[in-house]
């Protein structure tokens, strides 16, 4: 009998937590904006060229260095600052189990819907945020109806192979007992 396990996750409440790479990137971005803003202001109002001051050049170089360091450091980070692990989800051809305690037999489930293609380690294209991080694989959901009550759980897929087992082995067997969709 095929059985597969996933970590359940929930989004943290409150403000977004910035990663170290994002902090470094934004520090550099704010530094560049300040140097350029001060330079334009001083040039426009007092006709002072700030490029004649060596220390301002060093500030601009330092800010650019922060942007580059923040960007390249982000390629090695996972985007997990807004998630926390909240349990474990087991799925097999006969039932869905949450945290070893709640069993939902497929014979009592009206439908199961899987959504998401997020796999841990896949790149996230968010250069506009200054954080081209890797995904933590947590944008996947399973929704099902058990005894007229709807349940929705968010889970992590740790590899493409784990996702393939779900799609190719578990879901076809589940479809023999209830309606299952994957999108």
């Amino acid at each position: 009998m095929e059985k597969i396990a996933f970590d359940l996750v929930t989004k943290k409440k409150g403000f977004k937590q910035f990663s170290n790479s994002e902090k470094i990137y934004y520090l550099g971005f704010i530094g560049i904006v300040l140097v350029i803003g001060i330079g334009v202001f001083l040039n426009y109002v007092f006709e002072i060229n700030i490029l004649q001051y060596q220390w301002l050049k060093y500030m601009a170089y330092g800010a650019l260095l922060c942007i580059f360091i923040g960007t390249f450091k982000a390629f090695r980070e996972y985007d997990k600052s807004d998630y926390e692990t909240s349990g474990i989800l087991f799925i097999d051809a006969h039932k869905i189990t949450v945290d070893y305690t709640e069993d939902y037999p497929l014979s009592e489930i009206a439908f199961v819907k899987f959504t998401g293609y997020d796999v841990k380690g896949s790149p996230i294209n968010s250069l506009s945020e200054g954080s081209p991080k890797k995904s933590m694989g947590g944008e996947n959901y399973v929704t099902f109806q058990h005894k007229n009550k709807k349940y929705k759980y968010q889970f992590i897929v740790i590899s493409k192979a784990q996702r393939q087992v779900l799609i190719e082995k578990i879901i076809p067997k589940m479809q023999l007992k209830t309606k299952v969709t994957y999108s």
Side-chain angles (χ1 to χ4, degrees):
M1 176 173 73
E2 293 277 341
K3 188 176 197 177
I4 192 164
F6 300 99
D7 285 331
L8 291 172
V9 291
T10 54
K11 288 200 180 233
K12 292 180 183 175
K13 296 191 182 348
F15 293 109
K16 178 182 179 350
Q17 300 293 319
F18 290 103
S19 67
N20 289 335
S21 64
E22 287 174 316
K23 291 174 188 174
I24 293 169
Y25 177 86
Y26 289 130
L27 177 68
F29 184 75
I30 291 169
I32 287 292
V33 169
L34 285 175
V35 168
I36 291 172
I38 291 170
V40 168
F41 174 76
L42 290 177
N43 192 21
Y44 181 73
V45 175
F46 300 109
E47 295 181 3
I48 297 173
N49 184 3
I50 66 166
L51 294 178
Q52 65 186 354
Y53 298 106
Q54 196 67 28
W55 63 275
L56 281 170
K57 288 181 187 178
Y58 291 138
M59 283 182 61
Y61 294 143
L64 285 173
L65 184 64
C66 284
I67 290 171
F68 288 120
I69 290 172
T71 300
F72 288 114
K73 186 173 174 22
F75 281 111
R76 296 183 349 180
E77 287 184 339
Y78 286 95
D79 180 28
K80 59 183 172 186
S81 58
D82 292 341
Y83 295 102
E84 58 189 358
T85 304
S86 59
I88 192 160
L89 173 73
F90 292 102
I91 299 172
D92 64 36
H94 305 289
K95 65 183 174 183
I96 297 174
T97 306
V98 178
D99 285 337
Y100 298 104
T101 57
E102 301 173 42
D103 282 337
Y104 303 100
L106 285 183
S107 59
E108 298 173 4
I109 292 177
F111 71 88
V112 179
K113 181 179 181 183
F114 293 95
T115 55
Y117 296 94
D118 194 18
V119 176
K120 186 173 185 171
S122 61
I124 299 172
N125 189 13
S126 59
L127 284 171
S128 62
E129 296 176 8
S131 57
K133 298 183 233 177
K134 296 178 180 179
S135 172
M136 64 90 63
E139 291 297 325
N140 302 291
Y141 299 90
V142 61
T143 307
F144 59 92
Q145 184 174 341
H146 179 259
K147 295 185 178 177
N148 294 326
K149 187 173 180 187
K150 207 172 193 181
Y151 296 91
K152 184 174 185 177
Y153 294 101
Q154 185 175 2
F155 61 94
I156 296 174
V157 175
I158 59 170
S159 69
K160 289 182 182 180
Q162 186 185 36
R163 185 177 69 188
Q164 286 305 107
V165 168
L166 175 67
I167 294 170
E168 295 174 1
K169 294 184 179 179
I170 303 291
I171 290 178
K173 290 179 184 174
M174 292 175 81
Q175 287 175 334
L176 299 174
K177 297 185 177 7
T178 189
K179 180 181 175 191
V180 181
T181 58
Y182 184 86
S183 59

